[in-house]
Amino acid sequence: MIEGLREQLGLLPDALAGHLVVTAIPLLVGVSLSVPLGLVAVRRPRLRTIALGLAGVIQTVPGLALLALMVPVLSALGDLLAPLGVHVPALGVLPVGIALTLYAVLPVLRNTITGVQGMDPALVEAGLALGMTPGQVLRHVELPLAAPVVLAGVRTAAVWVVGMGTLATPVGATSLGNYIFAGLQTRNPLAVLVGCLGAAGLALVVDGALAVVEHAVARRRPRLAAGALATLGALVLLGTAGRWRPATGEPRVVVGGKPFTEQYVLTRLLERHLHDAGFAVDRRDELGSTVLLDGLIAGQIDAGVDYSGTLWAHHLGREGSSDGERVRSEVCAWLAEHDGVRCVGPLGFENAYALAARREVAEAHGWRTLADLRSASDLRIGADVEFFQRPEWLAVRDGYGLADAAQVTFDSTFLYDAVARGDVDVITAYTSDGRVAAYDLVTLEDPLGALPPYDALLLVSDRAPAGVEEALRPLVDAIDVDAMRAANRAVDVDGRTPADAARQLP
């Protein structure tokens, strides 16, 4: 326990620094935009209605969805500006910054308008009677008196932005969310706890500093307000100082991965091989399913592992095929021709989707293939949060007549527990997952070939530094499914770290 806590705390400075970067900048930009907009809109009813309406609509969009939408939008913008020599990063701080800035607008904008509108009209009339212009009344009377209300909105925005910053992880920005996403996937409650407490503690510190500013402004104590703001600025500068690394002679390579155990293990395996070849490596774990490929195409991820069936169904829009060689060949040809991504080769194992049930349940109902599920009454199928939206599920559902089955979604971490407890009858399992054997599950055959093959493919961007492909080529056909299952089980069942498990692999 103590050793695990020490390890988690050792990662905290980088995660905290990253969190400060992705939250401080959007908050400053959001306040800088919202206060002037509020002051302009307060006397223009139509503009006020439009501005508050748009800001309110943005708040209804789930944070993770808004962040994910930023990636393809910025990728498209980058493609448009590339001929002009302008580089637009589609991953990392920029998409997070835009999304969090949009989230920061509403509370500051609303409080700015409310604070000015709530002013005693007699004060405004007195200012005008003294010969002030409307602009002078706004600057010298309305805004100073409305400042505490505006600052209350800033405090609300700050807490929102710090909390939302934990969602930066899936689009490649380091934050305290790294703890939460990785901890959930690897069944490490200590990591989740550190991430949650870190985010909560940071929110309390920021809110406390801004509360002092609010109090100082209300009491006309500018020195106290300046001191609180200076302390907050020093915290940001101190926390982010470690983010700026001095330039070295080593070429930097970015390795990307998806948010589940196998990918955590594989990113560390790729990292080890690249380190051995003399590269400095940055790791972007927990990328969304499509974000990894978007990053490779944009050249912001240099190397990663994806699966032929995922690319076949999602990227090429093809239906299931049992011909693994054909799927792999066509996927790799498409990526090279259209997207500037090279297939170095298969790693040697397949991590396919399969529907699985507890052995005693399967034997009691006589389930051997997916076709046998058609006759089951009140069938409950559990899957990860994206499976029921994937083309593969549509092929399974329509091919085997499972439209009436109840669909229950879980984070992939909890799927195996759900079927073990009997919360669902069948789950989507992964054929290279060590928990299939650990939970004594039976995978059901797919006689129609509705689920395509899922060979693990080693991918490298055309924009990767020279030598990356050569450094990773020894991994081609070097990992069989038993070795991968053992590595996955070491994390999911035995509680070892992904780095430890990766040392079991070549």
Side-chain angles (χ1 to χ4, degrees):
M1 177 71 175
I2 299 299
E3 184 61 33
L5 180 60
R6 186 180 295 115
E7 179 184 354
Q8 297 301 328
L9 292 178
L11 302 172
L12 186 58
D14 189 55
L16 182 59
H19 205 95
L20 286 167
V21 168
V22 300
T23 55
I25 296 173
L27 183 60
L28 288 173
V29 175
V31 172
S32 300
L33 293 174
S34 302
V35 173
L37 178 59
L39 295 177
V40 172
V42 72
R43 304 202 198 288
R44 293 170 173 81
R46 183 174 297 179
L47 175 60
R48 183 169 67 244
T49 300
I50 293 173
L52 288 173
L54 288 175
V57 168
I58 290 170
Q59 290 292 331
T60 67
V61 180
L64 194 55
L66 186 62
L67 286 166
L69 285 172
M70 290 294 114
V71 175
V73 169
L74 291 174
S75 294
L77 180 62
D79 292 339
L80 288 174
L81 298 180
L84 303 177
V86 178
H87 173 66
V88 179
L91 298 177
V93 174
L94 182 59
V96 178
I98 295 173
L100 294 187
T101 296
L102 293 175
Y103 265 98
V105 166
L106 180 62
V108 181
L109 176 63
R110 180 186 290 156
N111 277 39
T112 301
I113 293 172
T114 301
V116 175
Q117 284 183 327
M119 196 71 54
D120 186 347
L123 296 174
V124 176
E125 292 174 3
L128 293 173
L130 291 172
M132 289 184 177
T133 66
Q136 289 174 326
V137 170
L138 177 64
R139 291 193 301 272
H140 300 297
V141 178
E142 292 177 310
L143 187 55
L145 292 176
V149 179
V150 176
L151 285 170
V154 174
R155 290 177 61 188
T156 300
V159 173
W160 283 6
V161 167
V162 170
M164 291 287 295
T166 58
L167 299 178
T169 298
V171 293
T174 300
S175 74
L176 291 165
N178 289 29
Y179 279 104
I180 297 169
F181 282 89
L184 286 172
Q185 294 297 327
T186 59
R187 309 296 294 273
N188 187 339
L190 187 59
V192 176
L193 184 62
V194 170
C196 291
L197 290 178
L202 180 60
L204 288 173
V205 169
V206 172
D207 183 63
L210 291 175
V212 173
V213 175
E214 182 182 346
H215 173 80
V217 169
R219 300 293 186 277
R220 303 292 194 274
R221 300 175 62 185
R223 290 185 179 178
L224 179 60
L229 288 174
T231 301
L232 199 55
L235 171 66
V236 173
L237 290 175
L238 181 64
T240 57
R243 298 286 295 171
W244 314 116
R245 304 185 184 96
T248 67
E250 299 176 307
R252 300 203 74 83
V253 176
V254 180
V255 172
K258 300 184 184 186
F260 56 92
T261 297
E262 182 168 289
Q263 288 276 312
Y264 294 137
V265 174
L266 291 174
T267 55
R268 285 151 181 79
L269 178 65
L270 269 58
E271 181 181 23
R272 189 185 78 210
H273 278 257
L274 290 166
H275 270 311
D276 291 345
F279 291 97
V281 181
D282 291 328
R283 206 174 56 243
R284 301 278 183 88
D285 290 325
E286 298 100 19
L287 296 177
S289 186
T290 59
V291 174
L292 173 60
L293 183 60
D294 289 339
L296 286 163
I297 293 170
Q300 294 172 22
I301 300 294
D302 296 307
V305 175
D306 213 331
Y307 303 91
S308 59
T310 297
L311 298 169
W312 175 262
H314 273 264
H315 197 57
L316 275 66
R318 307 286 183 83
E319 295 183 356
S321 171
S322 59
D323 188 342
E325 182 60 37
R326 175 195 167 208
V327 170
R328 196 164 60 237
S329 174
E330 293 192 23
V331 163
C332 289
W334 178 276
L335 290 175
E337 180 179 355
H338 296 276
D339 297 324
V341 177
R342 300 191 300 275
C343 288
V344 181
L347 293 180
F349 70 91
E350 182 183 4
N351 182 5
Y353 267 120
L355 266 64
R358 285 183 297 163
R359 185 176 302 278
E360 61 268 27
V361 172
E363 291 176 351
H365 291 86
W367 294 343
R368 290 180 299 168
T369 74
L370 296 179
D372 297 327
L373 297 177
R374 185 184 292 112
S375 61
S377 60
D378 300 324
L379 181 68
R380 297 161 300 164
I381 299 178
D384 58 57
V385 292
E386 69 174 67
F387 180 75
F388 291 124
Q389 308 301 319
R390 294 174 67 112
E392 297 96 314
W393 163 244
L394 300 180
V396 169
R397 183 196 66 189
D398 297 340
Y400 293 104
L402 300 180
D404 293 332
Q407 301 173 15
V408 186
T409 57
F410 298 90
D411 184 273
S412 59
T413 307
F414 306 118
L415 275 175
Y416 294 88
D417 290 328
V419 75
R421 291 193 305 264
D423 295 335
V424 290
D425 304 302
V426 179
I427 62 168
T428 53
Y430 312 104
T431 55
S432 61
D433 197 321
R435 288 174 292 181
V436 172
Y439 283 75
D440 194 25
L441 303 183
V442 173
T443 57
L444 306 178
E445 296 177 14
D446 175 19
L448 298 180
L451 296 168
Y454 290 83
D455 292 303
L457 299 176
L458 181 56
L459 305 179
V460 171
S461 172
D462 273 349
R463 305 182 194 182
V468 168
E469 185 172 337
E470 290 71 20
L472 298 177
R473 191 170 293 281
L475 291 173
V476 174
D477 289 323
I479 306 171
D480 61 31
V481 69
D482 290 332
M484 195 68 245
R485 280 182 189 140
N488 289 335
R489 178 171 179 146
V491 176
D492 290 326
V493 179
D494 301 335
R496 295 172 59 187
T497 66
D500 284 341
R503 296 188 188 100
Q504 300 178 194
L505 301 174

